[in-house]
Amino acid sequence: MKTQMFRSMATTCLAIALPLAAQAQDAVAEEESVNIEADGDVAEEDPTFVFKTEEEEELESFEREMTEAFAIFSEIFKTEPLTPEQEALLPLAQQVSDKIVPEGSMGTAMDQMMEPMMELIAAEASGDTHTRLAEVSGVELDELYLLDETATEAALAAFDPNFDERNKALSGVIGSMVTQMFEAMEPSYREALSRALTLRFDEAEMNELLGFFATPIGAKFAKESFLVHYDPQMMAVMEQMGPAMVEILPGMMEEFEKIESDIGNTRTFSELSEAERAEVARLLEKPVSELDALVPQTDVEVLEESDEEGVV
């Protein structure tokens, strides 16, 4: 149950951060079995065995997965060091940043986002009565889906009378943890905003902004400008992504087809020259006759195979 809670929180965090679809490199390979001391010598590994409970191992695995998942941002968004002139502007930029993201802003923003999101998560969890009943009863899920919903809920109530209450409580904990996480990130966010401001505004412009923020309407704008991006009115507009995608998809497919036509597709083994066939056979360490008999895999088949391998 705790592992499910961790993963629900992770999914929520990733959804809020809107990460690009990418998979971080396996960090386990980076874990060295030896420590390099400051003088360059190799320190011996501590032979002491540390026993870990199943819960501790799950938490350690979760921490590693989260580190890997979010590390992708620093890999994708490479930052350049600030110039001496930009560094000199940092104190001024920090004043602007403090106005735009006053203390407590991220916690407030997450609070107004998390309540509806957690209600949705709780509703989905409560609605998944068949899966939960299969877990606690041992009855095959396919068989349970043939039952009337009322019968399913009544049977689950016998096995797990606190199912709904527990899901709501867990969702509340997840929402609170996400809010706390973003509150902890707030100083780093302000620092990053300060650095970004030095790239886009000069000293005169930042002083002008601070002058505006000193006025009543400027102070209100500065206080609300960050929060307004997390307002339900703004978040709800994301539903327009579906219709927008439907609208642009035909043109996108035409562009794909044009690229395929203009650039050309791959060749089959039979279409290679004799010299190319011999070279490919050498590289693949396969006889020409075997390669002749092979049928190229389609993209769909490769994708399905990859998906199956990725299922845990």
Side-chain angles (χ1 to χ4, degrees), residues 200-220:
R200 291 165 172 80
F201 296 90
D202 59 28
E203 182 176 2
E205 290 169 332
M206 282 194 272
N207 277 317
E208 190 171 343
L209 281 172
L210 289 173
F212 171 62
F213 292 157
T215 66
I217 186 62
K220 182 175 182 179

Side-chain angles (χ1 to χ4, degrees), residues 17 46 109 153 177 216 225 272 275-276 299:
D46 186 355
E153 293 177 356
M177 290 173 70
S225 60
L272 304 182
E276 289 171 328
D299 291 340

Side-chain angles (χ1 to χ4, degrees), residues 281-293:
R282 184 187 69 79
L283 293 171
L284 299 180
E285 299 181 355
K286 298 281 186 182
V288 171
S289 58
E290 181 178 341
L291 293 174
D292 267 327

